[in-house]
Each structure stands twice: as structure tokens, then as C-alpha cells.
Amino acid sequence: MYTLAPNTMAKESDKNNNSGTELEYIPVDVSQLRVGTLVDRPLYARMESRNKFILMARSLHPLEQKTLDRFLRFGHVYSIFPALDERYGKLAMSVKRVEELLFDGSLAPFEKTSLIRKDTEWLSDLVMKKNGDADVAVFFLNKLLHVPHPQTIDYVVEHSVDLHEHSLRVASVATLLLLWTEAPKEEFLKDFLTSIYCEELSVYRDDSPNLRLIAMATAGYTAQDSDRAYSFELAKKGEIPGISNLDRRVVETLSRRGKMIQYGDELAEIVELARWICGGTGVQFRVLWESRLVRKLSRLMNFSLTDAPRKAAA
Amino acid sequence: MIEANQIVRQSKFGIEELLRANARVLYEYFFSTRHVGRVLDFLFYEAKDALAAVDDGEVLEYRVRQILETSIFNGFANYRTGEKSKCIEIEYGWDDVRMITSAVFWVEQTCAGFMPGEKPNDGVAGRIQKFIENISTLADEVVVRFDPRSGRFQIVGIINTAGNDVATKKAIDYVDVSALSPSEDGNSTHSTQTAASTVQPEALSAADIKDFTEDEKKFERERGRLTHVKEAEEEKQAVIEARVHELEERKRKKAMLDRRSTGSTVEDPEIISRERRSHENLADLEFRDREKPSKGTAFSFVEHLEKQANDQIETKKRTALGERDRQLIADTSSDVIRVRGGGSESEQDGPEVVLKTERLSTDEEAVSVGAIDRINTRDDFLTVKNLSIDLSKAPVESPLSEKENEDVEEVLQLLLKAVRAELVVVLGDMPEDRFEEIFRTISIRLRETFLQGIHHITRVRNIQLVTKIRHYKEQLSLMSGNLESVKAQLEEAKATVKETPVATDSGPTNQTGQAMSKGLLQDVVREKAALNEKVRQIDDHLRKREFDFRTLEASMVEQIRLKDEGVKQKQFAVEKMKEMMTTMMENLERYKKLVATSVSEAEMKMKFAASEKLLASAKESNEKLTKRTDELQKKWSEEFTARSQAQEELSRTKRHFEEFQRRTSEASLKSVDTRELAEVTTARDRAIKQGEELRRQNKELQEKLNALMGSGSKVAAGKQPGAAKAGETTDAESRHKLEHAAKLNKALQEELSRQKKRFDDLKLEETKLRVEVAKLQNQLKNAGKSPPGGTKSGFGKTSK
């Protein structure tokens, strides 16, 4: 296996790009790459003969075996971004700390949420403010919960790459909000994240898929609530790989999310707020504006709906 | 936990809508019952100012605490199945007139009949019914909100803290969420006595929910649903219930005051400062708590179960509650949950609140009290034995205590009042002294009967208790007897072992021993052989089974391999299909672009029709020209033949003339006779004449031919000037024009055929594409339905 020593992190410039600005390609240690894990930065392979960089793995996608084989064959892997731990210095520590807190049975719920918020306060600036980076929530929860499963992501990516990334962001932000407000058990968090991820994609409906794909590719695709309900039905029935036996509270909440928001269910409000933060369509803004959740977050985390990075994300 | 200072939502049914604008609302999610006490302590610390402002703050705290704890434990006990994490949402808020609690949890959707007075459809509904009844005794008003579609259950307990406005009558209201539309949700409610289908909910503020329910009941009465008799009975029942409730409240207050007289929960300045510090820095508090559990603070909760049991045994002796409660605790000792209300360090062993709830099986807070559940050791046995000996000292008939006598007297007075009211109605016309005499007699008899009943109940209860204890004692004595006998047997066996002499090799004993040992050895050998045989059989059987299993495993592996291959093939086919699909999509896109850029079909048709018309007219004119050309060619050939004949005749005549001249010259040379000369001269003249005649005829023929040729070229060339000058020129022009027309015709035909071919090709391609798309969709659909291990493509499932 080709391994690059950590101290040989030489930076190379891309002479071939046409944009005029030079990109710096940082060598990546191939031995650190694992099949099935979520790729945290775009990975390039370098063709020695032509001195060109080829994009082989996109960020937010699971690393496939054939891609890793190619990397091993090429031997040189680069990225234009530094490693996740270098970009977010507190990430690893926060994951470890939250993991400990989730399994700590000696804490009362309000103490647990308080400590979790304290340990992940730096995330709120990135996720819930303008010009932030919602992807950090994805990486944080992926390292914490190890969901969605690679086979689930593969199945979803087959339908739409762009919507996969959007759904992953929405699901991660919603789960992070849930972690900050309720701090339930780990199994519940996993089910919650996976369910929203599959629900938000909304393109499983099988009426004339070609036309839908064409419409998505050309005129832009707007997910409907009925599409989400249909998608969630598939997840509920276990027809999506990697998902089975969902938690009943998640099922009841997401099956009737519109009604549950009207009833003041906080779980449903969390999903709606995450969709608002990530630039989702058809969000019930008026309900959110009056929701207890937003008041709670504004008090606890200095959150404001108007400061949410909706426009930037959209 | 969050504080809601401003009530802005009107469309939801949280407790915020039931409180005034200066309200504070706290809420928390429970995922286990482990930290209930600590969280509730914190809640009451937050509400200490509100509790201090009320006259009977301790009683209020007690009521709210009991409501919340009962709600939480019942929520966990009756939670629906299939949950990975049970979540109970607790809300707790207050303003200057009310204190409201709410608990939300999830039960089975099929749960029904849980409202008091209804018939529960299952055990869960029955437990919830009792739970609601318990809450209704603690709260002034209870609102139950249930969504049968999702199973979301909410119970809201309302306690009026303003003394003057306290309603004496309790009410239980029920809101069926499924009967409300989302816009109406939270803005309407109806009573249990009213049917959702008949009463149209009106828009009203949730704060006026009590008035609304009263109006509803009034409306129902006016509609005749409740008869006059029922109404009177209800009123009487309400008076009695109110009186009983007032009595119970007074007792409870007394008990609370007695209990609180020995210590304070929130008044201690040390505790307040510590709690404030902990509230400000919760994390630090938690770290400190984890290192060393803080005993005696408001946050303290006894965590070790053994200590809890010991504390409760001791507390039972000192508790300020009545004898009846103690008896109740003793009867249901396994169902008791003990919660410490908090206090200072010195109050660690002080009075506690002991609550009786239904049997709970969820968490570690449910502890058994006062006895050892299972006898495992001798010490356990002795402990139980001593315990039962102490209990046996209880009297068969125990007189009522002073407090119980007071209670009995109060109830009796109440009963007599009710009887007097009944007698007044029945014997209203009777003289007063007579009435008083009768009432006195009745009251004496009633008192005697009532007291006899009370004593009888006490006696029966004690007898049952004593009988039970005697039964236990008998069992214990039997067990102790058995134990003694076992011990005796053990000692005897030990003595026997000690006294048994070692066998020696001497005399007949030796022979007998040898014979016996020989027999024993034979038996052993026989047994060993039998065992070996069995071992062999078992080995054979095992080998056979192993062989079978290996065969089965090989076949299974082969099957798996075949299935994997099938799956791989399917995947490969699916990938190929996807590639083809992509190609098809590209073709489709290209075709659509082509269609978009080319002219429309109607325009094409119009062009085609015009081209056909042009072609037909060109064909017609071509035919006409061809016909005319044929005619002219025919005429020309005829004239040409005549001309050639004339020229041939002329040349023959010329030859005759030349022959004649040659003969004449010969004759003149040879001097032929005159007669012959005359004849020759005549012949010569005749020949000259004939030659001239022929020349004339030839000239006329030539002129005629020229005339004919000129008229034909005029017709063909459209009377071009100079066209009739010569026969060859007219002919060439005609041929040229004919060729031009033919070329034009050919070009038009080619263009037309090309357009037609293109049109047909496009149509054919579209049809092919449609067929192929349908075929691929069908194949993908079939691929999506085939084996469970196969890849389910999103495209494949969708063909129609």
C-alpha cells in the first residue's frame, strides 16, 4: 500500500486549471482512507505522465472500493482542502465528549443537554449563522453515530447526487438540533437522522422517472410533501437498504409531520427548522416563527431565524 | 428547561395558552425515571417564589410534585410498545392565579375507554383511567388530550392558586384531537358528556377553557340531555364529593404541615445559595455531584436502593401520616415509591413523602420495603423469623386512634347532614319536635351501625392480618423443623462417616470382599463395554451427521454461489440497462433538440403538397412536350425520307443525263444517222425537262420541309425570334429545353424523396426509441422484482 509520510506534506500547484488562480493540492495519506466512510474533502489522483489532477472522490460521499483501488494504483492522492481535524480543531474532542455524555446515565436530561451544548457551542456558529459551513454538522454526526449506512447512501446517490447532499445536510442539522434540545438515546438519534435523510430526498416516486429526472436536470426540482411522505413510507417499510425497524416516535412524527407541527410537537418543529436552515422548500415559516423551539434556541444559543444561513445555503 | 415570558402562540394547546402573560413555563424531556426527583427538585427551586407567595405553598408543592411523578411513572408504565427510547415530555408553569402541569407520552392508538366512567377496552386503558382519577383528586381541573391516530396522550392538571377563585367542583375535560382540524386544534374542546359530532367547536381562547366547558354542560342541559332528576343527583353528589374532598384536603394539609414543621426545603439560606450557585453553573454542580453525591440538598435523591429500604423502614416509624396510610404502605409495600422532598444536612433522616402508586415495573425507583424478598441464607431466615415474631404481637382488635376517631366523627356528621336533608324533603309536613325526635333516633341508630361497621372492618382486617401472620409462622416453623431435621441428618451422617472402620485383609471378610470386588469389577467392565459401544454408536452418528452437514453446507455454498452469480448477472444487466438508458436519454434529448430546431410537421406537409403539385404539373408539361417532340420527330423523319428519295431521283436523273450526254458525244463522234440523232435530241430535251421538273419539285419539297420545321420550333421554343431560321437550330433548342425540364423534374423528385425519407426516418427512430424505452423499463422492473439480494434500482421499479 502506498503511504505518504506525514512530514512530506508538500504542496503542489495546479498548472492546468484555466481559472487563472492556482489551486494548492495537499498530499493525502492513502492508508488513512477507509471504504464506506464518508469522504470529508474532494480527493484527486495525479497522473504522472501528464501532470494532471483528476477528481476521483467527492466530498460527502462514501468511499467506494474501486475508488480506493484506483488511488492505490495511482499512488498519489491529493486534496485541495486540509484534513478534517485540521480544519475543525475541536471536532474530534467534541465527538468524544458527546459520546461519553450520551452514554452517561448519571446525568439528568437537562444537565446532559446543557453539557452537550457547552461542548458543541462552536458548531452553532458554523451551522446556524450566515456564511457558515453546514457540512461540519454532517461530519460531526457521522463520526458520532456512523449513519447513514454506506449502502443507504449508495441507494440514495443513485437517484440524485445534489439532493443526496442536501438531504444529508438537513438530516444532520435536524439531529444536531435534537441533540441540543432533548439529547435522547443513540438509537433514536440514528433512526431520526436516517429517516430524515431518506425522507428529504423525495425522488423515489415511480411515476415516469425519466420525466422527473429530466425535470430535475433542467428546470430544477421542488420536493413536495407528498413526495416526502412517499419516501418515508419506503424507509418505514424497510425497502431502502440499511434501514429497518425504525423507532415508533420517529415514524409517527414523520408520517404526519404537518399535523404534528400544528399540534406543537417539538420533533416535527426541529425537522422544519433544519429544512429552513438548509434552504428547503415549502417551509412553514409562520409556524416556525411562533414555535417554542425557536424561542428556546434563541434563549439558549442566541439563535435567530433571520440570521439562519438559508439564503446562503439556497 | 426554558422560560416563556411571552405568550404568543394561539394555535397550539400547550400550557402556555392556559396561563397569563406573566407566566413562567418550564419543561423537560424524560428518557428514564432515574432522575425524576432531581429534576423536580430543580423545578420547584425555580418556582420557590411562586410557592412562597401562596398561603399553603407546601401543600401546593406536594400536589404538583405528586401529579408530575404520577404522570411520569404512569407514562413509562403505559408507554406503547415498539419504542427504542421512551420519552415523557413534562411541562410545568404558573402565573399569579394558576399552576399547571402537563405530561405528554405515547400510548397505543387502540387505547380507548380510559376516561372515568367509561369501560376500558384493555389493561392499559384501565390503568390510565385510574391514573386520571388519581390526578383528578390532586388537581382542580384535568384536561386529557388524545390523538387516536398517533397515540399522543397529554394530561393537563390545573390547580388554582388564588384562594378566592378556587373552584370547589372538580372537572375532567377530554379533547379528541382527531375530531379537530389543524386550524381548530387547541382552540376548541368539548366535555366527555358531549358528542363531537353534535357539538360544533367554537373559537375561543384556551385560557377560557373552563368557562367553555361549563357553557357546554349548560347547553347540553338545555337540550334535555341531562334530565332534571340527574341534575339534582349530580348536585347532591357534587356537594358530598366537595365535602369529602375538603376533608381530605384538610387532612393532607395537616399531614404536610406536621411533616414540614421539622424542617424546610427552600427557606434555608445555605441551601438557597447553594442552589443558586448550582443553577448558575450547572456543569460544576454536576461534576461535584458525580464525585460525591450531595446529601440533604434540594437536589439530593437517594440513589442506593439498600439505603432507601432502610430509610423507609425507619421513616415509617416516624412519619406524620396516619395509621391508615401506614397500613396502606404495609399492604402495598412492593408498590411504594418514596421521594424525598429535600432539606438540610440535619434533615437527612427526617420526614418524607410516601406516595402510593400503581404497580410499576419500569425503573429502579420502585423498591420493595420492609422485608427480604427471598430467603437465601440462614441470616435471611432468622431475620424473617424475628420479624414475624414481632408482628405477631399485634392485637386482634385494635381500637381506632384519636385522629381516626375524629375522621369518623366528621364523616358521620356529614352523613347525618345528608340524611337530615333527605328527611326534610320526605317529612317536610311533620311537626318540628316530632321530626327532631325521629331524627335523633335515626342518628343514634345510624351512629351505632356506622361504628359497628367501622369496628367490623377493623376487626376483619386485623383478623386477616393475624391469620396471614399465623400462616407465615406455621410455614416458618415447618421450615425451621425441616432445617433442624436436615441438620440432624447431617450430623448423623458425619458421625457415621467418622465411626466407619477401614476394611482390613483378614479371613473370610477378605474372601467376601474379594468376591464382592470381583463382582463389582465385572459390573464395571460390563458397564464400560456398554459405554464404549454407546460411544461408538454416538461417534458413528456424529460422523454421519457431520457428513450430512458438510454435504448440506456444500450444497448451500453452491446455491449461494449460484445466487451470487445470478445477482451479479442481474447487476451487470442492470448496469447495462442503465447505460442503455443513458444513451436513450441522450438520443431522446438530441431528437428533442432536432425537433425543436427543424420546421414543424404541418409546414413540412405543406411543402410536400406544394412539391407534389409542382411535380405533377412538371410531369404533365413534360408529357406534352414529349408527345409534341415525338410528333415533330415523326414528321421530320417523313420529310427527311421524302427529301432523300427526291435527292436519289435527282441523282439518278443526273446519271441518265450524263449517260445521254456521253452517248450524244459518242454519236457525234461516230457520225450516227439523222434519225437516230433526232431521236437522241428529243430524248435529251425530254431528259432536260424532266431534270428541271425534278429540280423544281426538289425545291418545292425543300421549301415545304423548311416551312414545316419552322412551325414546329415555334411551338417548342415559344416563338423565339430567329428560331425558325434553320431546322437544326430549332431541334437543338427543343432538346435543350426538354433536357432542362427533365433535370428540373428530377431535382424536384430527388428533393421530395429526400424530405420524405428524412421524415420517415425520424418517425421510425422515434418509434424505435419508444419501443426500446418501454422494453428497458419492463426489463428493469423485472430486475427490480428479482431476488432479495439484488440491487434495487430506482429506475427499474418504475416502469409502467
Side-chain angles (χ1 to χ4, degrees):
Chain A
M1 184 178 287
Y2 176 79
T3 310
L4 205 66
N7 54 1
T8 59
M9 295 283 279
K11 295 181 178 179
E12 299 199 16
S13 299
D14 183 11
K15 309 288 185 189
N16 304 312
N17 62 8
N18 300 320
S19 61
T21 58
E22 288 190 351
L23 291 175
E24 290 185 345
Y25 289 90
I26 304 165
V28 176
D29 189 358
V30 187
S31 63
Q32 298 295 324
L33 302 177
R34 295 281 179 275
V35 175
T37 55
L38 216 60
V39 177
D40 57 356
R41 49 183 167 164
L43 296 176
Y44 297 82
R46 185 184 175 192
M47 291 179 70
E48 293 284 348
S49 57
R50 298 186 181 181
N51 193 25
K52 281 195 173 182
F53 294 90
I54 306 165
L55 179 63
M56 302 292 285
R58 295 180 63 174
S59 180
L60 296 179
H61 289 254
L63 186 66
E64 298 177 358
Q65 182 64 51
K66 57 183 182 183
T67 312
L68 186 61
D69 293 342
R70 283 179 188 164
F71 282 145
L72 293 173
R73 198 167 63 247
F74 278 102
H76 305 285
V77 184
Y78 295 90
S79 179
I80 55 175
F81 294 114
L84 201 61
D85 292 335
E86 291 180 32
R87 274 185 286 167
Y88 311 109
K90 299 178 181 175
L91 185 71
M93 183 55 74
S94 296
V95 169
K96 190 180 173 187
R97 181 80 182 120
V98 172
E99 200 169 12
E100 287 172 1
L101 288 172
L102 278 180
F103 286 102
D104 192 347
S106 64
L107 296 174
F110 71 93
E111 293 166 336
K112 200 179 277 188
T113 52
S114 173
L115 289 173
I116 287 175
R117 281 197 298 269
K118 195 175 177 183
D119 285 329
T120 56
E121 196 175 8
W122 61 277
L123 276 172
S124 66
D125 292 337
L126 290 169
V127 175
M128 299 166 71
K129 295 285 169 62
K130 281 179 183 173
N131 303 321
D133 182 9
D135 290 354
V136 68
V138 178
F139 299 129
F140 174 76
L141 287 162
N142 189 257
K143 282 186 178 293
L144 181 69
L145 305 173
H146 310 291
V147 288
H149 295 293
Q151 59 263 39
T152 310
I153 296 179
D154 285 342
Y155 181 81
V156 170
V157 167
E158 275 186 9
H159 289 78
S160 170
V161 174
D162 293 336
L163 288 176
H164 146 71
E165 292 177 1
H166 169 73
S167 310
L168 199 56
R169 287 192 189 101
V170 170
S172 301
V173 171
T175 312
L176 194 62
L177 293 174
L178 184 67
L179 201 60
W180 284 336
T181 50
E182 288 189 19
K185 290 182 180 173
E186 190 190 12
E187 290 80 13
F188 185 82
L189 285 171
K190 283 181 179 175
D191 282 0
F192 186 66
L193 194 150
T194 315
S195 303
I196 298 171
Y197 170 63
C198 295
E199 184 212 42
E200 189 64 22
L201 193 76
S202 319
V203 291
Y204 305 112
R205 195 187 282 270
D206 53 354
D207 45 355
S208 182
N210 298 338
L211 292 178
R212 289 173 70 83
L213 287 172
I214 290 165
M216 283 162 57
T218 56
Y221 176 70
T222 304
Q224 306 293 322
D225 280 343
S226 58
D227 295 336
R228 290 195 191 93
Y230 182 84
S231 306
F232 182 68
E233 276 296 312
L234 289 183
K236 196 170 76 175
K237 290 175 186 171
E239 293 185 10
I240 296 177
I243 298 176
S244 63
N245 192 20
L246 290 174
D247 186 272
R248 206 165 156 184
R249 186 180 170 209
V250 175
V251 170
E252 295 296 343
T253 305
L254 295 187
S255 298
R256 303 169 59 247
R257 192 151 51 91
K259 296 263 183 186
M260 298 310 284
I261 289 174
Q262 295 290 333
Y263 298 158
D265 186 84
E266 193 164 303
L267 210 60
E269 287 178 355
I270 282 174
V271 181
E272 204 68 1
L273 180 59
R275 294 189 61 242
W276 168 260
I277 288 172
C278 294
T281 54
V283 179
Q284 299 184 35
F285 180 75
R286 191 183 65 80
V287 178
L288 273 184
W289 185 261
E290 297 173 349
S291 68
R292 186 177 65 186
L293 174 72
V294 169
R295 291 208 306 278
K296 189 175 184 177
L297 288 173
S298 64
R299 184 173 182 271
L300 294 173
M301 312 197 74
N302 199 19
F303 168 73
S304 170
L305 265 183
T306 52
D307 287 342
R310 177 181 168 73
K311 289 178 183 175
Chain B
M1 280 176 282
I2 185 69
E3 176 181 349
N5 287 319
Q6 293 184 346
I7 311 302
V8 290
R9 291 183 305 167
Q10 294 298 326
S11 61
K12 295 176 187 175
F13 193 74
I15 66 169
E16 296 169 5
E17 283 72 28
L18 303 178
L19 295 167
R20 295 186 177 181
N22 57 349
R24 286 190 70 191
V25 178
L26 307 171
Y27 50 89
E28 179 65 313
Y29 297 90
F30 286 94
F31 296 96
S32 79
T33 54
R34 186 171 178 181
H35 305 286
V36 172
R38 203 155 82 190
V39 174
L40 293 186
D41 284 340
F42 186 74
L43 291 177
F44 287 111
Y45 170 73
E46 289 292 318
K48 66 180 186 303
D49 293 336
L51 292 171
V54 182
D55 293 337
D56 47 358
E58 291 86 358
V59 177
L60 185 62
E61 180 187 340
Y62 165 74
R63 289 168 71 186
V64 174
R65 186 183 283 272
Q66 192 166 2
I67 288 172
L68 288 173
E69 286 177 348
T70 310
S71 302
I72 292 166
F73 286 113
N74 273 282
F76 272 95
N78 300 316
Y79 216 91
R80 67 186 174 192
T81 56
E83 300 283 348
K84 291 181 183 173
S85 71
K86 298 177 179 180
C87 177
I88 312 282
E89 182 184 343
I90 289 293
E91 283 187 85
Y92 165 55
W94 65 90
D95 57 15
D96 49 359
V97 294
R98 284 171 178 171
M99 189 165 274
I100 302 180
T101 63
S102 162
V104 176
F105 53 91
W106 303 75
V107 298
E108 295 290 344
Q109 286 99 327
T110 55
C111 187
F114 47 75
M115 291 302 291
E118 294 179 355
K119 185 181 179 184
N121 65 341
D122 57 4
V124 173
R127 288 201 294 271
I128 292 176
Q129 191 179 55
K130 287 178 185 172
F131 157 58
I132 294 170
E133 286 171 354
N134 285 341
I135 299 293
S136 66
T137 59
L138 294 163
D140 294 332
E141 189 172 355
V142 177
V143 179
V144 178
R145 182 171 175 263
F146 181 56
D147 181 13
R149 288 168 300 191
S150 64
R152 186 185 164 97
F153 183 91
Q154 182 178 23
I155 182 161
V156 180
I158 302 169
I159 298 173
N160 294 310
T161 54
N164 296 331
D165 299 334
V166 172
T168 54
K169 185 179 179 181
K170 290 178 181 293
I172 302 174
D173 297 310
Y174 174 62
V175 179
D176 184 357
V177 178
S178 62
L180 306 176
S181 66
S183 59
E184 295 164 343
D185 187 16
N187 291 337
S188 59
T189 178
H190 61 272
S191 177
T192 42
Q193 290 84 1
T194 61
S197 56
T198 55
V199 180
Q200 183 66 31
E202 297 175 3
L204 82 166
S205 167
D208 299 328
I209 191 165
K210 191 175 174 184
D211 297 337
F212 175 78
T213 49
E214 290 297 327
D215 290 343
E216 284 287 297
K217 286 175 185 171
K218 192 177 176 184
F219 175 72
E220 289 298 323
R221 283 189 210 107
E222 286 173 1
R223 288 186 64 179
R225 287 198 167 215
L226 298 175
T227 60
H228 181 70
V229 176
K230 280 185 180 177
E231 197 173 332
E233 284 177 359
E234 271 192 1
E235 285 179 0
K236 282 182 186 174
Q237 189 66 25
V239 170
I240 293 170
E241 281 181 2
R243 184 63 188 147
V244 171
H245 176 70
E246 193 179 345
L247 189 63
E248 286 177 357
E249 283 295 311
R250 198 184 300 167
K251 282 167 60 184
R252 209 173 282 140
K253 281 180 188 175
K254 277 183 184 175
M256 287 295 296
L257 289 171
D258 292 339
R259 184 176 63 82
R260 293 287 174 186
S261 61
T262 56
S264 169
T265 55
V266 295
E267 300 293 330
D268 193 340
E270 185 187 349
I271 296 167
I272 289 173
S273 63
R274 185 183 300 176
E275 286 168 353
R276 187 176 294 120
R277 203 167 56 243
S278 65
H279 182 227
E280 288 167 356
N281 194 353
L282 198 60
D284 294 341
L285 169 78
E286 178 49 30
F287 289 139
R288 192 167 61 247
D289 282 348
R290 285 164 66 190
E291 288 164 4
K292 181 184 176 185
S294 58
K295 297 171 183 176
T297 65
F299 291 92
S300 68
F301 190 89
V302 179
E303 294 179 356
H304 306 288
L305 298 180
E306 290 179 2
K307 193 167 184 315
Q308 274 188 338
N310 293 330
D311 285 348
Q312 283 186 341
I313 291 168
E314 291 174 7
T315 305
K316 277 204 302 181
K317 296 172 184 173
R318 292 195 295 272
T319 183
L321 295 180
E323 185 67 28
R324 197 175 60 179
D325 289 335
R326 261 185 279 172
Q327 185 63 41
L328 201 63
I329 291 163
D331 289 343
T332 60
S333 58
S334 60
D335 295 338
V336 168
I337 295 163
R338 194 197 58 159
V339 177
R340 185 185 294 254
S344 63
E345 292 285 349
S346 61
E347 203 190 12
Q348 186 176 350
D349 296 327
E352 294 169 335
V353 182
V354 182
L355 308 175
K356 178 184 180 298
T357 67
E358 294 174 21
R359 181 178 295 277
L360 302 170
S361 58
T362 53
D363 271 288
E364 57 272 27
E365 276 80 1
V367 294
S368 59
V369 179
I372 296 167
D373 293 328
R374 191 177 296 169
I375 299 173
N376 291 324
T377 64
R378 186 179 172 80
D379 293 338
D380 293 343
F381 171 76
L382 291 174
T383 307
V384 173
K385 195 177 175 183
N386 293 332
L387 203 65
S388 65
I389 289 166
D390 291 336
L391 284 172
S392 65
K393 292 175 183 172
V396 176
E397 288 186 18
S398 62
L400 292 175
S401 64
E402 187 182 352
K403 189 171 182 307
E404 283 176 340
N405 275 329
E406 285 179 6
D407 294 346
V408 167
E409 191 63 33
E410 275 190 80
V411 173
L412 199 57
Q413 290 299 329
L414 192 67
L415 194 61
L416 289 174
K417 273 186 185 176
V419 169
R420 189 184 178 90
E422 290 290 337
L423 285 175
V424 166
V425 174
V426 177
L427 307 173
D429 301 334
M430 191 174 282
E432 193 176 350
D433 51 348
R434 177 70 179 151
F435 176 81
E436 288 296 334
E437 189 181 344
I438 289 174
F439 178 69
R440 197 164 42 247
T441 310
I442 288 173
S443 62
I444 290 166
R445 287 186 181 174
L446 196 63
R447 178 187 294 272
E448 287 174 355
T449 311
F450 187 75
L451 289 174
Q452 279 176 3
I454 292 289
H455 285 294
H456 177 69
I457 289 168
T458 313
R459 194 181 303 121
V460 168
R461 192 180 59 193
N462 289 339
I463 287 168
Q464 283 176 350
L465 186 65
V466 169
T467 309
K468 204 184 283 182
I469 290 168
R470 279 178 183 163
H471 179 64
Y472 289 156
K473 279 186 72 178
E474 284 173 4
Q475 284 188 344
L476 285 170
S477 63
L478 282 173
M479 286 171 71
S480 67
N482 288 336
L483 190 65
E484 293 300 327
S485 65
V486 168
K487 278 173 72 177
Q489 285 177 6
L490 191 64
E491 292 296 329
E492 191 178 347
K494 279 181 182 174
T496 309
V497 169
K498 281 179 183 174
E499 290 170 2
T500 304
V502 179
T504 56
D505 299 337
S506 63
T509 310
N510 189 17
Q511 289 175 0
T512 311
Q514 279 179 354
M516 198 170 75
S517 62
K518 195 176 178 183
L520 282 172
L521 277 173
Q522 283 174 355
D523 288 345
V524 167
V525 169
R526 204 181 305 121
E527 287 291 328
K528 191 180 175 184
L531 278 172
N532 283 335
E533 182 65 24
K534 279 187 180 176
V535 166
R536 225 178 1 257
Q537 285 176 0
I538 288 168
D539 282 344
D540 290 343
H541 182 68
L542 280 175
R543 271 199 294 277
K544 192 180 175 186
R545 294 294 293 173
E546 193 178 356
F547 177 74
D548 290 346
F549 280 131
R550 280 185 182 169
T551 313
L552 192 63
E553 186 188 2
S555 64
M556 295 291 277
V557 167
E558 183 63 20
Q559 281 181 7
I560 289 168
R561 193 181 61 78
L562 288 173
K563 280 187 179 177
D564 283 345
E565 283 180 2
V567 168
K568 280 179 185 172
Q569 284 176 358
K570 289 277 180 191
Q571 284 178 348
F572 180 72
V574 167
E575 284 176 5
K576 292 289 285 179
M577 289 297 162
K578 279 179 187 171
E579 287 177 6
M580 287 173 69
M581 200 75 184
T582 313
T583 316
M584 290 295 137
M585 294 300 296
E586 287 174 1
N587 288 337
L588 202 61
E589 285 295 320
R590 208 179 299 136
Y591 164 68
K592 284 188 176 178
K593 282 179 186 172
L594 195 65
V595 168
T597 53
S598 63
V599 293
S600 64
E601 193 176 353
E603 197 177 349
M604 185 73 83
K605 279 184 180 175
M606 199 176 69
K607 276 189 178 179
F608 179 62
S611 301
E612 276 188 335
K613 275 183 184 176
L614 193 62
L615 180 65
S617 64
K619 263 187 181 176
E620 195 177 351
S621 63
N622 196 17
E623 281 175 1
K624 279 180 184 177
L625 284 172
T626 310
K627 196 177 176 184
R628 184 63 182 161
T629 307
D630 289 344
E631 284 175 0
L632 287 173
Q633 275 184 347
K634 194 178 176 184
K635 279 185 182 179
W636 181 78
S637 60
E638 283 174 357
E639 291 298 327
F640 190 76
T641 310
R643 188 179 167 188
S644 61
Q645 283 176 358
Q647 282 181 349
E648 192 179 351
E649 187 68 25
L650 184 61
S651 61
R652 196 164 55 238
T653 307
K654 276 183 179 177
R655 268 200 315 272
H656 284 165
F657 180 69
E658 286 171 1
E659 183 66 23
F660 178 71
Q661 280 183 340
R662 189 180 60 81
R663 279 181 186 178
T664 304
S665 61
E666 281 179 356
S668 62
L669 288 172
K670 288 178 179 178
S671 302
V672 292
D673 57 1
T674 315
R675 210 169 86 185
E676 281 183 2
L677 185 62
E679 286 177 358
V680 170
T681 308
T682 309
R684 192 194 65 181
D685 292 340
R686 196 170 55 243
I688 290 169
K689 279 183 183 177
Q690 282 181 346
E692 287 177 354
E693 184 65 24
L694 283 172
R695 276 194 196 107
R696 191 180 57 77
Q697 282 182 357
N698 190 21
K699 192 177 178 181
E700 283 176 2
L701 279 170
Q702 189 68 37
E703 284 176 355
K704 200 182 281 183
L705 183 61
N706 288 338
L708 280 170
M709 291 299 288
S711 66
S713 65
K714 276 178 190 173
V715 170
K719 292 182 182 179
Q720 286 184 357
K725 278 185 181 178
E728 289 85 3
T729 310
T730 309
D731 192 10
E733 281 180 2
S734 300
R735 215 172 283 142
H736 177 70
K737 286 179 181 174
L738 194 62
E739 286 172 2
H740 183 69
K743 277 183 183 175
L744 186 65
N745 185 19
K746 195 178 174 185
L748 283 170
Q749 276 185 343
E750 282 176 357
E751 176 67 23
L752 189 64
S753 62
R754 201 167 59 243
Q755 292 287 346
K756 278 181 77 176
K757 194 179 173 186
R758 193 173 163 192
F759 185 71
D760 290 339
D761 285 344
L762 287 172
K763 272 199 164 182
L764 190 64
E765 195 177 355
E766 187 186 358
T767 314
K768 277 182 182 176
L769 284 171
R770 282 179 191 279
V771 170
E772 283 176 356
V773 166
K775 204 189 292 176
L776 285 172
Q777 284 174 346
N778 282 330
Q779 287 177 356
L780 279 172
K781 187 179 180 182
N782 293 333
K785 286 178 180 175
S786 63
T791 303
K792 291 180 180 179
S793 171
F795 303 129
K797 297 184 297 175
T798 57
S799 59
K800 286 188 176 177

